[in-house]
Amino acid sequence: MKKVTFKSVIVTFFFCLVGLQALAQKNTAFKTGEELTFKVSFGFLDAAEAKMLIHPKVYHTDNRPTFKIDVFGQTLGVFKLFKVNDNWGSYLDTAKIIPYQSYRHIEEGKYRKHERVLFDHQKKNAHVRLYDRENKELVSTKDYPVPANVQDIVSGFYLLRTMDLKKLKKGDMVTLTGFFDKEVHKINLMYTGKEQLKTKIGEFDTFVFSPIIPKNKLFRGEQPVTVWVTDDANKIPVRIKAKLWVGSLDMEITEAKGLRNN
């Protein structure tokens, strides 16, 4: 259950948003200090809460100014029996919108994983460092070849927000690329059109996307995941809906602070 309530859907969501570099433009959508909060529901139950935070100050990584971005997720209510307390992060170049480092601190039941990835975009290399259960001792390192300007699970979402989505036409399909869990992932993302959506933070015109996901034991249907992104200057995700073999899961925005454009 823990994978259904948070990890699997979030992973699918972020990787359905990477790889649209052809539409990239100057970032006018987000800034330091932004905070987005989401509620994840499984059926009629509140299953988890997720937060996406851009730290208030600009950091420097490899002598480049970067946003430090954290995504936190934890289970709620009866789902705490399958306790999830995850933190994914990225150091994202403020101009190029590519990651220099990413990290994961995973607590799911008794399972623990601590990982840091260093990206060398010139050499097209991802250097993965794994740490022990307490995140104190380095356990192993390994290098992996990656495509140029590859995204990580967090950075791809922010790349999407820099793009001119109005150029997309209904039915457009884009092949996406990102690095996660020691592998390069590719997925086809279909733009399915516009839709007006009412949320707890307001009513929005939205762009609607649907990743084409291979048949598996988690999702059902040919287009099991749908993502709604606001058609405004901020381009924030406001809803994600996933059809599962054991029901359905909804991730909806509940609060947005520090938006660049009000």
Side-chain angles (χ1 to χ4, degrees), residues 17-28:
L17 300 181
V18 300
L20 293 165
Q21 288 90 341
L23 300 175
Q25 54 187 11
K26 183 179 179 180
N27 171 36
T28 58

Side-chain angles (χ1 to χ4, degrees), residues 229-247:
V229 177
T230 59
D231 177 12
D232 59 16
N234 294 309
K235 301 188 189 82
I236 59 174
V238 287
R239 189 184 184 194
I240 306 158
K241 185 177 179 65
K243 300 175 184 178
L244 311 174
W245 284 110
V246 292

